[in-house]
Amino acid sequence: MTALAAGTGGINWTALIVLVVLFSLVTVAGFMAGRFQRGDTLDSLDEWGLGGRRFGTWVTWFLLGGDLYTAYTFVAVPAAMFAAGSVAGFFAIPYTIIAYPIIFVFMARLWSVSHRHGYVTTADFVRGRYDARSLSLAVAVTGFLATMPYIALQLVGIQAVLEVAGVGGGDNWLAKDAPLFVAFALLAAYTYSSGLRAPAVIAFVKDALVYLVIIVAVIYLPAKVGGWDTIFGAAADKMGTTNPATGAPTGAFIPPGSSDAGPGLYWAFATLALGSAMALFMYPHAVTAVLSSKSRNTIRRNAAILPAYSFVLALLALLGWVAIAAGTQPIGLDGEPNPQLVVPQLFEDMFPAWFAGVAFAAVAIGALVPAAIMSIAAANTFTRNIYKEWLKPNATAKQEAQVSKLVSLVVKAFALVFVLTLDKQNAINFQLLGGIWMLQTFPAIVFSLYTRWFHRWALLAGWAVGMVYGTLTAYNVVNPVTGGHFGSSLAMVPGLEQMGYIALTAFVLNLVVAAVLSVVLNAAKVSNGTDETVRSDYHADAGDPRVQPLPTPPHEESPNP
Amino acid sequence: MREQDRPLEGDAVPPTNKGMLAAAGVLLMIPVIALMAVFTYARDTPELFGWPFFFWYQMLWIIITPVMTYCAYVLVLKARGQSPKDVQ
């Protein structure tokens, strides 16, 4: 231990023991629940399941919200606020507000058509709509790929908690990344087990923990550092200082407009929010959650309720600034500053040790459950739309289950590679990187719900252009401090002289290519495949005799940002 | 069985009041446009309880948006001759 790390050095035994005990309790509760109700898992899960079947609106609302607090909200967003200010972090608030009006418009149609035809993934729908295996493969591969950095973000969250609690540390690479490997091992064991068979039991405990910590944190901490005036004052001071590495201000307290000092950041703030919002419901795990709802109108009702959670998200985001006012020093075990540690470190500094342990457990479980569910959703997409479709059409159910299990591990292994190779200092960028890829499937999925005017090969070409442009542009953003690639997800928008979210720029390119080629291909009378859906499919509702229940893998009730 | 509850066949689409759908669409567009127009709220003042305008204004939209979305939900149902009670 160096003297520098004395603040975080050593193991915080009380916090660590509380963390381990709570964590084990929740996991064991999951196992037990899975065991006790082995007889008719589906029925009992339905018993437990939410969807307003037995619970009143309030309880449902409470449980729905519990899924929205993941490592993204607890660790990455506050860290971005702490390190770089509101453009880097606070865009999450408009993002989580406007995501819901957007899905309100199209998700009900996807629900209806999926339940008429038994589609479980978006790739299924694209295949049925255009009879195009290649376009369906593109959608499946994108979902699979984009989930990896998202899982990586959850791993970073678990790692941050363990590191602040004092696990790991040392000079060789293995010991240094010990918290990460522990996080990975936990996640793998957890997913592989039957623990996920009882998501509802875990959901209860997890949500209770998460809410307890959030309520205490957002009420107690701001008061303790001297109120909101002090917090905003401290943040404004820090963001106004000059970053020695770049010569520019450290960050943005409020997004600046265009001035002599350079282009403004309004466009960046807006596009980050809009691009993330449009991409959120393309992810496999989000689609699974939505398709499992009871009827087409459940989605719309929940879309009306869910933006309210952004209120708490905003307060959590501002914890990054509470930490500035509190003078929190997020120093890793290697003695280097690491913004991702800022919220766990703030908890450790400000709370009694036992409650810090509770808070750590909430963050760890809040990251673990979504990560497990994301990896299962990605694995299911792989099995259904890649393995069974292309590699082994006559696979038995048992083989499919085996492949799914194996692939869910592969996804996590790749997520680990993301964490080890990309810049952990800026974990929110993992999620933004996923968004760049995910958004490129938007035209093929959402526009196809309304029209078949777009040509299938034009959509495929648009997707390819968007993917290549987005990935290359993101790769070429170099972090000025570390010199690493994939430094951030903002780049100059060609022809606009403004910084913007790469995902949205790539999406516009994608759309232009798809539209132009559609005109050409439609004029040339190239076949656009047979459509197996009919118009009434898009309005079908529960209770319709041809609406079939879909097999639903484990999922959370609401997709998490 | 009422007319609007009968399952649809083939290319049939439920009878819809287009005006109500359009109104719902407008209600859903307003929050998106308001929050995209960053130049309208990227300011310090007026402050509220020590919160700069930029922050509390967005918090305000967190309250307005669910209200608008719920109104849109009722409108979308009404446009097809249903009400929230029918679809509980």
Side-chain angles (χ1 to χ4, degrees), chain A residues 79 354 387 424:
Chain A
W354 67 272
Y387 175 74
K424 275 191 307 225

Side-chain angles (χ1 to χ4, degrees), chain A residues 115-207:
Chain A
H115 280 254
R116 268 273 173 94
H117 292 276
Y119 301 146
V120 179
T121 61
T122 45
D124 288 349
F125 163 67
V126 170
R127 187 176 169 196
R129 183 68 154 157
Y130 290 105
D131 184 22
R133 290 172 77 207
S134 49
L135 186 58
S136 160
L137 178 69
V139 171
V141 168
T142 311
F144 187 71
L145 175 72
T147 306
M148 291 171 190
Y150 218 153
I151 296 170
L153 172 65
Q154 308 297 334
L155 282 174
V156 171
I158 302 172
Q159 178 198 20
V161 167
L162 292 171
E163 193 162 336
V164 172
V167 178
D171 294 329
N172 70 48
W173 69 272
L174 186 67
K176 212 173 72 185
D177 276 323
L180 184 65
F181 293 121
V182 172
F184 174 80
L186 279 173
L187 179 61
Y190 182 79
T191 319
Y192 228 81
S193 72
S194 60
L196 263 184
R197 286 269 149 250
V201 180
I202 291 188
F204 264 119
V205 184
K206 178 187 96 157
D207 295 351

Side-chain angles (χ1 to χ4, degrees), chain A residues 48-270:
Chain A
W48 272 108
L50 318 171
R53 261 177 289 256
R54 308 215 155 197
F55 303 119
T57 314
W58 283 109
V59 180
T60 308
W61 192 76
F62 162 89
L63 287 169
L64 276 175
D67 306 338
L68 296 171
Y69 301 106
T70 67
Y72 178 79
T73 41
F74 260 127
V75 174
V77 171
M81 290 285 283
F82 176 86
S86 55
V87 176
F90 211 76
F91 77 86
I93 283 70
Y95 150 35
T96 51
I97 299 173
I98 64 180
Y100 298 104
I102 291 173
I103 64 140
F104 184 101
V105 174
F106 70 84
M107 236 1 169
R109 283 178 89 91
L110 185 62
W111 188 98
S112 293
V113 74
S114 301
H115 280 254
R116 268 273 173 94
H117 292 276
Y119 301 146
V120 179
T121 61
T122 45
D124 288 349
F125 163 67
V126 170
R127 187 176 169 196
R129 183 68 154 157
Y130 290 105
D131 184 22
R133 290 172 77 207
S134 49
L135 186 58
S136 160
L137 178 69
V139 171
V141 168
T142 311
F144 187 71
L145 175 72
T147 306
M148 291 171 190
Y150 218 153
I151 296 170
L153 172 65
Q154 308 297 334
L155 282 174
V156 171
I158 302 172
Q159 178 198 20
V161 167
L162 292 171
E163 193 162 336
V164 172
V167 178
D171 294 329
N172 70 48
W173 69 272
L174 186 67
K176 212 173 72 185
D177 276 323
L180 184 65
F181 293 121
V182 172
F184 174 80
L186 279 173
L187 179 61
Y190 182 79
T191 319
Y192 228 81
S193 72
S194 60
L196 263 184
R197 286 269 149 250
V201 180
I202 291 188
F204 264 119
V205 184
K206 178 187 96 157
D207 295 351
L209 266 182
V210 163
Y211 275 109
L212 174 73
V213 171
I214 287 176
I215 290 165
V216 172
V218 301
I219 294 171
Y220 172 78
L221 292 175
K224 200 167 168 185
V225 297
W228 288 107
D229 263 334
T230 317
I231 293 165
F232 286 115
D237 290 348
K238 175 177 170 176
M239 295 306 152
T241 56
T242 307
N243 180 341
T246 58
T250 301
F253 175 63
I254 286 172
S258 299
S259 65
D260 304 340
L265 289 173
Y266 293 170
W267 194 257
F269 187 82

Side-chain angles (χ1 to χ4, degrees), chain B residues 3-76:
Chain B
E3 180 60 37
Q4 63 261 32
D5 297 338
R6 199 158 297 144
L8 300 157
E9 301 285 342
D11 277 346
V13 173
T16 310
N17 180 328
K18 288 270 192 314
M20 283 187 185
L21 274 194
V26 170
L27 277 176
L28 294 169
M29 288 288 288
I30 292 171
V32 178
I33 292 169
L35 285 164
M36 288 296 95
V38 184
F39 66 93
T40 57
Y41 60 90
R43 289 184 283 123
D44 264 321
T45 51
E47 281 198 5
L48 184 75
F49 308 121
W51 285 57
F53 181 78
F54 178 75
F55 299 96
W56 71 256
Y57 178 79
Q58 289 180 65
M59 300 294 261
L60 192 64
W61 277 102
I62 297 173
I63 299 164
I64 301 170
T65 309
V67 175
M68 286 190 166
T69 316
Y70 192 79
C71 292
Y73 169 65
V74 174
L75 273 173
V76 167

